[in-house]
Every structure is written in structure tokens, then in C-alpha cells.
Amino acid sequence: MDLQTLTSMNWGIMAPEFTVLGTALLLSLLDLFMPREKSRRILGILSAAGIVLALAFLFLQFSHEPASLFHDMYRLDSFSKAFKLILLLGTGLILVLAYDYKMDREEEYRGEFYYLLLTALLGGLIMASSADMITLFIGLELLSLSSYVMAGMRKRDKESNEASFKYVVTGGISTAITLFGMSYIFGLTGETNLYSIGNALRDMSILQNQFLIAFAFIITFAGLTFKIASAPFHMWAPDVYQGSPLPVTAFLSVVSKTAGFALILRFFLLVFNSAPGIKGDPLLFQVQPYLAFLAGATMIAGNLVALRQRNVKRLFAYSSIAQAGYILVPFVSVSAMLFETTWFYLLAYLFMNIGAFAVIQEVTAHSKTHDISGFAGLYRRSPWLAVAMTIFILSLAGIPATAGFIGKFGIFMNALGASQGHYVLAGILVGTTVISYFYYFNIIAQMFFRPEHQEGRLQHKKGLLLVTAVCAAATVILGILPGTALHFFYEQFQLTDFFQTMEQK
């Protein structure tokens, strides 16, 4: 590729990615040359400024026509814009959360955390825009490798070391499995571009390899389910969530999970949307029992094991596993509402989960324990935090007038509204949601009905108050006026360009 070709490319469509990359490089240089005793909190402010600038570029791209770079390896379309919005919003809130996080003996590594967080975000942004297996894998590994290091940021803490080690091992296994599945796809089609692969799988000559197509789907999907912590590949999540610094736990729970679902959506709808199954029917319909089993097992495992948890970070790890099961339900039916249902629930999950982690960070820092008993008497020590945490918990539990209820209702109707209604899966969704009330409401009972173990009111930090207020307001607004987000989605993200390009290839 010569210089003239490089300069003629429309690099402006990658403005959010270049902004995040430039900010990360700037932070790494500043951190390198700053005096050791100098506080690194200023780097957090610069990180947040970079996220705001990237968001501004993204909003300017909403009216931009679909475009691509590197022969369709990177695409700017409605799909990528929709998921980039969630990724940038989530990372921005986590940066504010991290600004007030006390790292104790590891304070000198705060600068590393900021630019590692941005490089992980960069990987997620690349995943959202990738239309080629090569760039998908690059984005996935950039996100994963940065996350491995962030999980072990507390270098003198045994739990953090264990979390990082387990994450590296399981992540390496998932990467190997994913590449194994992708190798079959490349071997069958001779292509790495997702649109080209989708068209190649329609070829009649592929029909003699139907079993290999189904095998490639199952293997690749199994590898990617590690990233979203879906059963039976979820056992890394509780230990990693518990041992990681709390802002990292929030990032893994929300931003990393969102990037994983964006990858799965784009990969399998483009590659396997028209792939033939073993008996001639479309592959995505033949693998519905497999996907339904994964979704059901994830909801059941996450909610049942959460009942026995006392450590609040482990509890929310299993809660996050259960939430992954809920989001997998629309994938079973592959209906026309798959995109908006998944996007809305991930948006709602962003606010209710990051808000909950903001309260957890405040409470655990004051009580010096991660046990649920640390929430005892919170209403008397800080009525505002208790009320906000109640809002987040009610939303996670799917109680009406919250964003979580609207999201779960959409998923429930998606399961029932399919051509072949998945009534058992919908029943599991309702049943496991009821089970979740036991451990969610136990936290509410601690806050309002248990005697406080520590005296004195909590001293609120401004950053945590800001994150809590924004998330609580968004959770309530999306629950009462869900049309605001859905109208924005339908107005800004015309997903027809996602499929039109596939048809033109």
C-alpha cells in the first residue's frame, strides 16, 4: 500500500479510535516522565477528557453515511455506532468511579490503570467496527490483554494475583478455542471478511460440508462465550471479579461484556445468517436448542449460586453471569427485534450495574469489608446511597418502573413472539428472575432493617456522587419513559445498512 493510497483514505471515520489511542499514548508518556511521588489523578482527568472528545466525534458521525476502510475490514455503520455509544459511556462513568478509588500501596500504579483502561476500550471499539476475522481478533486480544493486566493491578495482593493468573489461563484457552473455530471457517470458505464468508457459505459446493459448518459455529461460539461469562464457561468470573480492583470489576462486568455481545452479534449474523444446516434448514434455526440450553443454564447457574454468596463482589459476579443468560435469550429466536432488544438491555445494564458498583465502592471503603453485612444500617448512615442502591437493585431484579424491567420484558416478549415460541426458556427467565429476588432483596434488608455495625455518616466523594446520581436518574427515566432511548435508537441507527451491504456483496 503506497503513500498516496494511505492519504486518500477517509481516516475521519476512525476519529473516536484515534482519540482514545492518542490519549492512551499521551498518558503513558506523562506517566513515564512524571516524578514518582507526584499524584497520578491528573491523568484520570485527561482520560475523561479523551472519552468526552471521542463521544463528541461519535455524535458527529451519527449522520455519516456507511463507510469502510481496508477493503471492508473496518466499518462505520449503524451497528458500530450503537455499540460504541455504550462502550464510551460506560468507560467514562468508570473513569469517574476510578478517580475516587483508593489504591493504598499501589497508588503509584494508578497511571498504568488509566491508559490500560483506554487500550482495553480501544479493543472494544475495534470489535464493534470490525467486519473481518483478523481485525475482530486484534480487537478482542487488545481488550483481553489489557484486562488481564488490570485485574492484577494490586500487585501486592494475593487475591488480585490469583485473579490475574486465572483470567490469563482461561482467556488463553478461550482464545485457542475461538481461533480453532475460525480456522475451520477460513478453511471452508478461503475468506476472512465476514460479508464474503456469509456469501461463500451460500454456495452449493459448501452443502457437502454442512457438518463442518455446524461444528465451526459451535466451537467458535463456545470460545466467545468465555468473554461474556456464559455457562458452562463462567467459572473464571467470580474469582476475577473478587480479586480485581472495583473499577476493573465494573469494567469487566459492563464494558467488556458489551464488546463481547457486539462481536457475537456481528460475527454470527453476518457469517451464519444464511449458512445451511445439516439437514438443509438454516443453521441458526438448527442450533436454537444449543443456544437455548446455554441461555437457560447461564440463568440458572448464575442465580442459584448467587444465593449462597456473602462477598458482595462475588454476588455481583454471579448476578452478571445471570444477566448474560438473559441477554442470550433473544439470540435463540433470531427475530427482527434482536438488535434493539439487546442494545436496550445493555444500555439499561450499563447504568444499573455501574451505579451499583459506585455504591459498593463507597460502602466497602467505609466498612473495610466486602461482606454483605457492610451494608447494614446504610439508610441511617447515608439515606441517599441507600435509596440509590435500592433503585439499582430493583432494576437488576426487573421490578416495574425501572430500566431493568423494560429490558427483561422486551426479552420475554422476544422469546414468546418467535415463530416457534420458546415457552420453556421464557419460563426459566421468569423463574430465575424470581429466584434473584432472594439475594437482591437481602441487600435491601441489610440497608433498611439491620442494625448498623459502624457509627457515623459516610463522607461522600464528589465523583461517586456524580456517577450514582447519573445512573439512578437514567435507570428511572429509562424505566418510566423507555421510548426516549428506543426513539433515539430508531432515529439514529438505521440498521438496514448493516444488511444491505451483506446483500450487495
Side-chain angles (χ1 to χ4, degrees), residues 154-296:
R154 295 186 298 171
K155 301 180 182 181
R156 299 179 181 90
D157 184 86
K158 290 183 179 179
E159 282 190 350
S160 187
N161 294 336
E162 181 184 354
S164 182
F165 178 75
K166 287 184 176 179
Y167 200 11
V168 169
V169 172
T170 56
I173 293 171
S174 71
T175 297
I177 295 173
T178 303
L179 283 177
F180 184 54
M182 286 183 174
S183 68
Y184 271 87
I185 296 171
F186 176 74
L188 285 167
T189 63
E191 302 281 354
T192 60
N193 183 271
L194 302 188
Y195 289 100
S196 300
I197 293 171
N199 287 327
L201 290 179
R202 301 177 188 177
D203 196 306
M204 293 299 294
S205 61
I206 298 292
L207 294 178
Q208 58 185 336
N209 297 306
Q210 293 165 327
F211 173 77
L212 290 179
I213 297 173
F215 180 76
F217 174 90
I218 292 173
I219 293 297
T220 311
F221 193 87
L224 294 177
T225 51
F226 275 93
K227 303 301 180 184
I228 60 173
S230 166
F233 313 110
H234 65 284
M235 292 310 298
W236 62 269
D239 292 327
V240 173
Y241 282 32
Q242 180 179 346
S244 301
L246 203 138
V248 177
T249 303
F251 179 85
L252 296 176
S253 176
V254 176
V255 180
S256 181
K257 191 181 294 290
T258 299
F261 275 109
L263 188 157
I264 291 173
L265 261 177
R266 182 182 282 276
F267 190 86
F268 288 104
L269 284 181
L270 290 183
V271 171
F272 295 107
N273 185 52
S274 302
I278 295 176
K279 297 180 180 179
D281 296 328
L283 178 65
L284 289 182
F285 287 99
Q286 289 194 353
V287 297
Q288 281 184 356
Y290 168 70
L291 298 179
F293 172 78
L294 287 182

Side-chain angles (χ1 to χ4, degrees), residues 391-442:
I391 292 173
F392 301 136
I393 288 175
L394 292 178
S395 185
L396 286 165
I399 301 299
T402 63
F405 169 78
I406 301 298
K408 281 187 181 177
F409 181 76
I411 290 173
F412 179 76
M413 295 306 297
N414 200 290
L416 293 182
S419 56
Q420 297 178 350
H422 301 280
Y423 302 107
V424 174
L425 194 59
I428 293 174
L429 189 154
V430 174
T432 52
T433 298
V434 173
I435 292 173
S436 72
Y437 294 167
F438 289 92
Y439 61 85
Y440 283 137
F441 291 171
N442 184 29

Side-chain angles (χ1 to χ4, degrees), residues 91-161:
T91 307
L93 291 171
I94 290 168
L95 278 171
V96 179
L97 195 69
Y99 185 82
D100 288 327
Y101 181 72
K102 190 176 181 181
M103 297 188 70
D104 297 322
R105 294 179 296 174
E106 285 77 22
E107 184 66 30
E108 61 183 291
Y109 305 123
R110 182 180 290 273
E112 295 180 20
F113 166 77
Y114 289 127
Y115 53 78
L116 282 170
L117 188 72
L118 291 180
T119 53
L121 168 65
L122 179 61
L125 296 176
I126 293 173
M127 288 163 64
S129 280
S130 294
D132 193 283
M133 289 197 296
I134 297 174
T135 47
L136 273 175
F137 183 73
I138 291 172
L140 179 63
E141 286 307 290
L142 183 58
L143 171 64
S144 299
L145 292 173
S146 301
S147 300
Y148 301 156
V149 182
M150 286 194 296
M153 285 297 296
R154 295 186 298 171
K155 301 180 182 181
R156 299 179 181 90
D157 184 86
K158 290 183 179 179
E159 282 190 350
S160 187
N161 294 336

